[in-house]
Amino acid sequence: MLLSQFIYHSPFTMLITFMLTSGLIFLLASAGNVTVLNGGLSMRYHYNKVNLPHVNVIGFPQPLKIIFWLLTFMLFNLGLDYLVAWLKQFFPAGWQLTRLIASLEGNLPVLVQSLANPFLTSVLSFFYIFVFPALILGVYLYLMFTKRTGYALLLLCAVGVNYLLAVPFYLLAPVYETWYYNPQVKLLIEQVYPAFNHTYRFFSGLSNNFPSLHTSISTTVTLLAAYTREKRLCALVALVNLVIVFSTVYLGIHWLTDVLAGLLFANICFGLTIRCLRKFNEQL
């Protein structure tokens, strides 16, 4: 409990926690490749099916390349957040679609929350808030530090496509979070982080629920890991993915329908990203 109070005490402690979590994922991904930790370049696997020579930052040293693409990715997603928040005022609320999903799922959200206990809530809240973004950053850093820029850019592009293609759903098919619609469901994350609704809402509106981006993006990272054919990386990311997916329902945020849609959405976005990047390379 004291640890949770420290972690969520201020934006600074949350930022430090996020950076440490990202670093841990980077180290776990690198655990089977000692040369990575020692600054070496040799790897066991040398697959790079997506090569982006003309997208690279020519002449930049590796640290600047890492920062450049990361900042570009962050600005792109931040811009989409602002765009969705502005466009929301022109579109109707999503009560009807939410009612349909609620009628299909019945008491399933309540049944999942019957498993609730303080320890599980703390762990899953941590995964939802910190491990989810740290998974993207940690894997991205791992790929960049191992000189596989093609994979690293594929990761950022695929995640960006998830955000971009989710915009029409959030505007035309808004679905309210489980706790907001069903009074029997609690927003368990507030038990750990009471200021969640106050600080997190800009990044995730109450009706930005279908499909679940936590599910689709973490699944996209898993697909990327599988695409590299690194068994250790794939196992690590897949395990984290499963916990994140479960946390979205357990914490009272997403419906199971959102999760299933997110799984399908991830495969579509990842496949579309690969197709577009290959097409781009053919035209170079």
Side-chain angles (χ1 to χ4, degrees), residues 3-251:
L3 180 59
S4 294
Q5 290 177 351
F6 172 77
I7 290 174
Y8 300 100
H9 176 69
S10 68
F12 176 75
T13 57
M14 293 183 70
L15 177 62
I16 294 298
T17 302
F18 164 66
M19 296 304 295
L20 290 175
T21 306
S22 301
L24 178 60
I25 291 176
F26 170 79
L27 291 175
L28 289 174
S30 307
N33 302 290
V34 180
T35 53
V36 175
L37 299 178
N38 293 333
L41 301 180
S42 61
M43 297 290 296
R44 181 180 177 185
Y45 299 100
H46 296 278
Y47 300 96
N48 200 7
K49 299 178 182 177
V50 180
N51 187 27
L52 305 175
H54 286 69
V55 183
N56 210 341
V57 186
I58 299 174
F60 278 22
Q62 187 72 358
L64 289 183
K65 291 178 184 179
I66 294 172
I67 295 172
F68 177 85
W69 288 115
L70 194 57
L71 287 177
T72 302
F73 169 76
M74 292 172 63
L75 289 173
F76 172 78
N77 291 313
L78 187 62
L80 283 181
D81 285 332
Y82 275 107
L83 178 64
V84 172
W86 178 73
L87 289 175
K88 278 283 186 179
Q89 61 185 315
F90 303 108
F91 290 85
W95 287 106
Q96 297 301 323
L97 186 56
T98 310
R99 185 180 302 139
L100 173 62
I101 291 175
S103 65
L104 291 174
E105 296 197 14
N107 290 325
L108 181 61
V110 180
L111 179 63
V112 173
Q113 285 204 335
S114 66
L115 303 172
N117 64 76
F119 176 75
L120 188 58
T121 299
S122 296
V123 171
L124 294 183
S125 296
F126 184 85
F127 268 78
Y128 187 89
I129 295 175
F130 294 108
V131 179
F132 168 67
L135 179 66
I136 303 170
L137 179 58
V139 173
Y140 168 73
L141 292 176
Y142 169 67
L143 294 171
M144 287 297 285
F145 274 104
T146 53
K147 303 292 185 179
R148 289 175 294 175
T149 308
Y151 280 138
L153 295 183
L154 171 59
L155 171 63
L156 295 188
C157 289
V159 173
V161 168
N162 272 266
Y163 278 108
L164 181 63
L165 296 188
V167 171
F169 288 94
Y170 292 164
L171 296 177
L172 301 175
V175 174
Y176 283 96
E177 293 182 1
T178 318
W179 71 272
Y180 189 75
Y181 185 83
N182 188 340
Q184 293 180 293
V185 177
K186 299 177 181 178
L187 183 59
L188 295 178
I189 203 168
E190 286 189 320
Q191 296 179 5
V192 179
Y193 182 31
F196 174 79
N197 261 324
H198 177 70
T199 58
Y200 202 74
R201 275 305 148 211
F202 170 76
F203 301 100
S204 180
L206 280 170
S207 59
N208 294 353
N209 231 37
F210 179 90
S212 164
L213 276 188
H214 267 67
T215 297
S216 67
I217 290 175
S218 59
T219 303
T220 295
V221 181
T222 304
L223 292 172
L224 182 280
Y227 202 63
T228 67
R229 299 187 185 181
E230 286 194 44
K231 294 181 180 179
R232 181 183 296 274
L233 178 64
C234 190
L236 170 65
V237 175
L239 178 61
V240 173
N241 182 20
L242 287 174
V243 178
I244 291 174
V245 169
F246 178 70
S247 74
T248 64
V249 179
Y250 171 89
L251 294 172

